[in-house]
Amino acid sequence: MMGMALAALDGTVVSTAVPQIVGDLGGFSVFSWLFSGYLLAVTVTLPVYGKLSDTFGRKPVLIAGIVLFLVGSLLCATAWSMASLIAFRVVQGLGGGALQGTVQTIAADLYPLKERPRIQAKLSTVWATSSVAGPALGGLLAGYADWRWIFLVNLPVGVVALWLVVTYLREPGRTASASPASPASPAARTGTALRHRVDWAGALAVFATGALLLTALVQGGVAWPWLSAPSFAFLGGSAVLAAVTVVIERRAAEPIIPGWVWRRRTIAAVNLALGALGLLMVAPTVFLPTYAQSVLGLGPIAAGFVLSAMTLSWPVSAALSNRVYNRVGFRQTAVIGIFLALLILLAFPLLPFPGQPWQPALIMLLLGGALGLFQLPLIIGVQATVGWSERGTATASILFCRQVGQSVGAAVFGAVANSVLASRLADPPSPGLPRDLDSVSTALENPAALTAEAAEYLRRAVDAAVDRVYLGAAVAAALALLVLLVLAPKRFPVIAEKDAD
C-alpha cells in the first residue's frame, strides 16, 4: 500500500502546484507535459514490467520500480528548467509503471481468491485518499514551503516502503516455467533450470508504439490541430510501429505481449471492457471539476469534494463485491455494475441548471458504487484464470488497456466538449467571448470582466458541453456492457488455488 501510495499521490499532489512551478521555471506553453510525460511513461512500460515480473519475480521488479521512482523524485526536486523537470517526470513514470502493475499482481499472489476483494479494496482506498489529500498537500507545500517539497516528500515514504518490501516480502514458491506448456519442455523433463531470454526488441517496439500513439492523443487538438501533419505523422508512425511490434512478438521466444493475451476470450473481453472504463472515467475525473467550478460556482476545494464522493463508495462496493460474484459469477457481477453505471451516467444530463452541489455529488456516489462492482470482479476474475507465470502479464495488459482508454477518452471527449462550446458560442450575446473549454473556465474565474448575461450564457454553454461528455461516457459504458455480454464467457475458467501458484 505504501508503494502504491507513491504512484497514487504523485499526479494529484503536483496539479495544485503548477502555478508556482511555472512562475519559477517558466515554460507555460509546455507545462501539460508534466502530466502527459509521466502518464506516457507509466502506460508504455506496464506490459514490459508485467512480463519481467513473470520472468524474474515480482520482488526485484517492485524494488527496481521504487528505486527508480525515488531517483526521479530527487531529480525533479533539483530541476533547473521546465525541460529538465519534464524529463525527470518521465524517469518517475518509468518507476511508476512498475509500481502500479506489480502491486496489483502481488496482491493476487499472496492472498487466496476469497480474500482478494478485501485486499484490493484496501489498495483502492490508497487512490481514494490520494485523490482527496493530494491536492490539499500540494497546495500547502507550494504555498507555505516550496514546490520542490512536493517531490521530496516522496523520499521518506518510498524509503519506508522499500525497507518493508526488502525485509518482509516473501514471494510464494514458484517453478522456473514461463508458461503452462513449459513442463513438457526438455528442461522441465530433465529438471534443469530454464534460462529466460528477455525480449528487449519487443520491449523497445512496445515502448515506441505506445509513445507515438499517446503523444498523438495527448497533444492532438492542443499543440496542433487534429487534421494536421503532426497528427497524421504520429498516428501513422504508431500504426507502422504496431505492425512491426506484431512481427517481432510473433518471432520472439518469450514475447513481452504474448499472443495468448488476446486469444483467450476472458482476458480479451476484460481488456476491452476496462479500456471502455478508462474512456468513461474521463467524464468525472476531468470534466466534473470544471462543471463544479464553472456551472455551480464552487471553489477548487469544494469541487474536489464533489468528485471525492465517487472515491468513497468505490472501495466499499469493491470490498463487498465478492458477496455478489460468489453467487452469480464474475461476469454477471460486472454486467450488473456497468449496467447501473450506464443508467447513472444517463441521469447526469437530467440535472437542473445550475442545480445544487449535492446533486452531482450523489451521482458520483452512486457511480463509484456501480464501478466498484464492475472493475474489481473483472481484475480478480482474470487473475484467477492464470497461473503465477502468467499473472503479471495478464494484470499488466488489463491496466495498459485502461490507461490507453483514458488517453483516448481525454482526446475524444475534449474534442466533443470544444465542439459543443464552439456551436453554442457561434453567436454569443457579447463580442469577444472565448470558444474553448479552457478559455471559458478562465473567463468565468474572472466574472468582473463579463456582463451578467455573458456569464450566464457561458455557464449554460459549459453545462451543455459537460452533459454531452457524460452522454459519451454512457456510450462507453454501453460498449463495455456489450463486450461482456457478447465476448466474455458466462463462467470464467478459474484455476484451482493449488494449481494457480
Side-chain angles (χ1 to χ4, degrees):
M1 290 175 70
M2 293 192 71
M4 182 70 82
L6 289 172
L9 269 173
D10 192 75
T12 56
V13 78
V14 172
S15 59
T16 49
V18 166
Q20 288 76 16
I21 295 174
V22 172
D24 188 13
L25 300 180
F28 179 80
S29 61
V30 294
F31 85 87
S32 63
W33 273 99
L34 290 176
F35 307 96
S36 302
Y38 179 84
L39 174 65
L40 187 151
V42 169
T43 304
V44 299
T45 54
L46 277 169
V48 178
Y49 286 126
K51 180 61 180 179
L52 291 177
S53 74
D54 283 343
T55 304
F56 301 109
R58 327 293 188 213
K59 187 172 182 176
V61 173
L62 182 58
I63 290 173
I66 295 175
V67 170
L68 194 55
F69 189 91
L70 294 181
V71 169
S73 298
L74 185 59
L75 290 173
C76 285
T78 64
W80 57 89
S81 65
M82 183 61 74
S84 64
L85 183 57
I86 291 171
F88 298 149
R89 284 281 288 166
V90 172
V91 175
Q92 265 193 315
L94 295 177
L99 294 174
Q100 289 197 28
T102 311
V103 169
Q104 297 276 7
T105 307
I106 288 174
D109 288 342
L110 298 181
Y111 295 92
L113 183 58
K114 64 181 180 180
E115 293 186 30
R116 286 175 197 166
R118 177 174 58 85
I119 300 304
Q120 293 282 4
K122 288 184 177 181
L123 292 176
S124 297
T125 62
V126 174
W127 291 96
T129 303
S130 299
S131 67
V132 177
L137 178 61
L140 287 172
L141 290 174
Y144 296 99
D146 186 88
W147 63 264
R148 298 179 189 274
W149 280 99
I150 67 176
F151 299 107
L152 292 175
V153 294
N154 290 330
L155 299 182
V157 178
V159 168
V160 174
L162 188 63
W163 174 73
L164 289 172
V165 169
V166 171
T167 306
Y168 294 107
L169 178 59
R170 298 287 183 269
E171 292 193 73
R174 64 185 190 272
T175 63
S177 61
S179 67
S182 296
S185 66
R189 289 195 301 267
T190 60
T192 59
L194 177 64
R195 182 178 180 181
H196 294 285
R197 288 180 290 177
V198 179
D199 179 23
W200 294 116
L204 180 61
V206 169
F207 190 94
T209 303
L212 285 185
L213 176 61
L214 291 178
T215 300
L217 294 174
V218 168
Q219 294 298 97
V222 179
W224 52 72
W226 281 109
L227 298 178
S228 64
S231 284
F232 293 136
F234 277 100
L235 290 173
S238 64
V240 171
L241 283 176
V244 172
T245 302
V246 171
V247 173
I248 292 174
E249 296 298 84
R250 284 184 173 179
R251 296 179 178 179
E254 297 184 37
I256 291 293
I257 303 181
W260 56 260
V261 169
W262 292 104
R263 286 195 297 268
R264 298 181 191 175
R265 283 181 59 195
T266 303
I267 301 177
V270 170
N271 282 346
L272 294 174
L274 290 189
L277 172 65
L279 196 70
L280 74 85
M281 282 300 296
V282 171
T285 57
V286 176
F287 290 92
L288 183 64
T290 297
Y291 172 88
Q293 294 181 67
S294 300
V295 178
L296 301 181
L298 301 178
I301 296 177
F305 279 114
V306 172
L307 176 60
S308 69
M310 180 176 66
T311 65
L312 297 176
S313 57
W314 192 317
V316 175
S317 174
L320 299 175
S321 64
N322 64 324
R323 300 187 180 185
V324 182
Y325 69 65
N326 283 335
R327 294 187 177 185
V328 300
F330 293 112
R331 189 191 79 155
Q332 195 60 28
T333 303
V335 166
I336 293 171
I338 198 62
F339 179 72
L340 292 175
L342 171 60
L343 297 180
I344 294 164
L345 289 167
L346 288 173
F348 188 91
L350 302 179
L351 294 178
F353 176 87
Q356 299 297 319
W358 67 265
Q359 294 168 331
L362 177 61
I363 293 285
M364 291 303 99
L365 188 71
L366 296 174
L367 183 62
L371 294 179
L373 279 179
F374 169 67
Q375 177 183 255
L376 190 58
L378 293 181
I379 293 177
I380 292 178
V382 164
Q383 290 176 334
T385 66
V386 295
W388 187 98
S389 61
E390 296 177 335
R391 192 172 290 144
T393 299
T395 303
S397 72
I398 295 170
L399 299 178
F400 175 77
C401 289
R402 189 180 65 187
Q403 292 280 82
V404 171
Q406 194 167 349
S407 298
V408 173
V412 171
F413 292 147
V416 168
N418 285 326
S419 174
V420 173
L421 285 174
S423 64
R424 292 297 179 102
L425 297 174
D427 187 21
S430 302
L433 289 181
R435 299 196 178 190
D436 63 81
L437 193 62
D438 292 335
S439 300
V440 168
S441 300
T442 302
L444 288 173
E445 290 175 1
N446 302 283
L450 301 171
T451 65
E453 181 186 12
E456 177 76 1
Y457 193 84
L458 284 180
R459 289 191 181 93
R460 288 189 177 274
V462 173
D463 180 65
V466 176
D467 284 350
R468 195 66 59 86
V469 168
Y470 268 82
L471 288 176
V475 172
L479 291 175
L481 178 62
L482 183 64
V483 165
L484 291 178
L485 292 175
V486 175
L487 295 182
K490 292 182 178 180
R491 292 286 176 182
F492 284 15
V494 175
I495 299 175
E497 293 286 347
K498 63 180 181 179
D499 298 325
D501 298 318

